[in-house]
Amino acid sequence: MLGTVSRHVAALRPGVSRGFSTGPALGYQARLSQYYHNTLRDDLMILQYVPPQVRARQEVMEEARLKAIKENVGGTPPNPLRKRLKVRPPKPRVAESAAHNTPYVDKVTVHIRCREALQNKHNLLSALMTLQVVTGQRAEVIKAKNDAAPWKLRKGMPIGAKVELTGDRMYEFLDKLVEVVLPRMKEYSGLPMDSGDGMGSFTLGFDNSAIGLFPEMEMVYDMFPMVFGFAVNIKTTAGHNPAGRLLLSGLNMPFVHARKPTTESFML
């Protein structure tokens, strides 16, 4: 009777089965997720609000700029002998700031590129277990899509591992990365202001010394025969880099301006 009731309760509660949990408990919400939904989302909506008069003026100026580029007014005439360059598609228009389109973090991808797997595919096991320990989610193998003779790479060979995080696991990983890992790195100054892919997504790269700074890796670090560097791609729904930087800055992600090289005041 008790076993029947336990199986029935486990069927009603996803992620809970036979006394252990494979995911966050029901009603659980990450600290960073609570902060975004309760505080940061409203602040982002206010900071990105543009009055209608200013928005109309900006649209007129943008149309005039595009028209001048199309007619090539005041510029060098095009060279007829030069082949036409591939024109990039226009960027999507930034929507008006409102409660329903406030930018948020859509997905976080953590991946490791393992060159040692080309010599022995069993070396990829350390990368898979490292991602599983750090993120709390099972990693998947990345396989080569093309052949590369100089690196003795054939299509279908395993070359890395990755984990795609969403929901509360994503916020938990970002919280650990910002509050624990980055402050403990001595040589990390922050993301440059000109970083980003133009669509509001950002990528951070770390060497193999940063993986040991995660709290989950401190106790089991000596059990891994190989340690790799990793990269973190943060995909947002911002649509452009300024809104993405504003969102990540609200999540305590550091951004720095590029410093100009110092010049010597006198020569000996």
Side-chain angles (χ1 to χ4, degrees):
M1 179 67 180
L2 182 60
T4 305
V5 174
S6 300
R7 288 193 295 270
H8 179 67
V9 172
L12 294 178
R13 297 180 60 188
V16 179
S17 175
R18 298 182 182 273
F20 65 90
S21 174
T22 58
L26 292 179
Y28 170 79
Q29 190 176 15
R31 183 195 68 86
L32 205 61
S33 177
Q34 294 180 7
Y35 168 68
Y36 172 80
H37 290 92
N38 297 334
T39 304
L40 183 60
R41 183 172 58 180
D42 298 336
D43 295 342
L44 292 175
M45 182 181 63
I46 296 173
L47 290 173
Q48 294 182 350
Y49 174 74
V50 180
Q53 299 83 357
V54 178
R55 181 175 291 272
R57 193 183 311 120
Q58 291 177 352
E59 292 179 353
V60 172
M61 295 175 61
E62 182 67 15
E63 291 178 359
R65 186 184 67 86
L66 295 176
K67 183 179 180 181
I69 294 176
K70 185 177 181 180
E71 297 177 355
N72 199 20
V73 176
T76 305
N79 187 358
L81 301 179
R82 186 178 179 182
K83 295 182 179 179
R84 289 285 183 179
L85 299 178
K86 186 177 180 181
V87 180
R88 294 183 179 180
K91 294 183 179 181
R93 180 178 177 272
V94 180
E96 186 176 355
S97 178
H100 65 277
N101 59 4
T102 306
Y104 60 90
V105 181
D106 184 29
K107 178 176 64 174
V108 172
T109 303
V110 188
H111 67 273
I112 294 177
R113 185 173 61 177
C114 181
R115 296 181 179 179
E116 290 77 4
L118 299 179
Q119 287 77 24
N120 188 355
K121 63 181 180 180
H122 296 288
N123 294 331
L124 192 61
L125 182 61
S126 295
L128 293 171
M129 295 305 299
T130 299
L131 290 180
Q132 185 170 348
V133 170
V134 169
T135 62
Q137 183 172 316
R138 180 171 295 181
E140 57 179 311
V141 179
I142 301 176
K143 296 183 179 180
K145 298 181 180 180
N146 300 311
D147 299 334
W151 293 281
K152 299 180 181 179
L153 180 65
R154 295 190 302 273
K155 184 178 180 180
M157 293 181 62
I159 56 174
K162 71 172 182 179
V163 170
E164 293 185 355
L165 302 174
T166 57
D168 288 319
R169 291 188 185 273
M170 172 187 66
Y171 284 109
E172 286 181 353
F173 178 80
L174 288 177
D175 198 8
K176 288 185 296 183
L177 183 67
V178 173
E179 300 294 339
V180 179
V181 178
L182 296 184
R184 297 173 66 181
M185 296 180 62
K186 297 181 180 180
E187 299 180 356
Y188 186 79
S189 58
L191 281 171
M193 292 295 292
D194 56 352
S195 61
D197 62 348
M199 302 298 292
S201 299
F202 299 84
T203 301
L204 298 80
F206 302 93
D207 56 7
N208 54 3
S209 62
I211 199 70
L213 302 179
F214 284 91
E216 297 86 356
M217 287 290 295
E218 292 181 350
M219 300 298 295
V220 297
Y221 186 82
D222 297 333
M223 299 175 60
F224 290 87
M226 304 182 70
V227 181
F228 307 94
F230 64 100
V232 180
N233 179 261
I234 304 175
K235 182 181 179 182
T236 68
T237 61
H240 58 294
N241 287 345
R245 284 196 301 267
L246 189 63
L247 170 61
L248 295 185
S249 297
L251 299 177
N252 292 334
M253 186 69 69
F255 284 88
V256 294
H257 290 277
R259 295 182 178 179
K260 297 182 179 180
T262 57
T263 58
E264 297 182 359
S265 58
F266 62 93
M267 299 293 294
L268 297 178

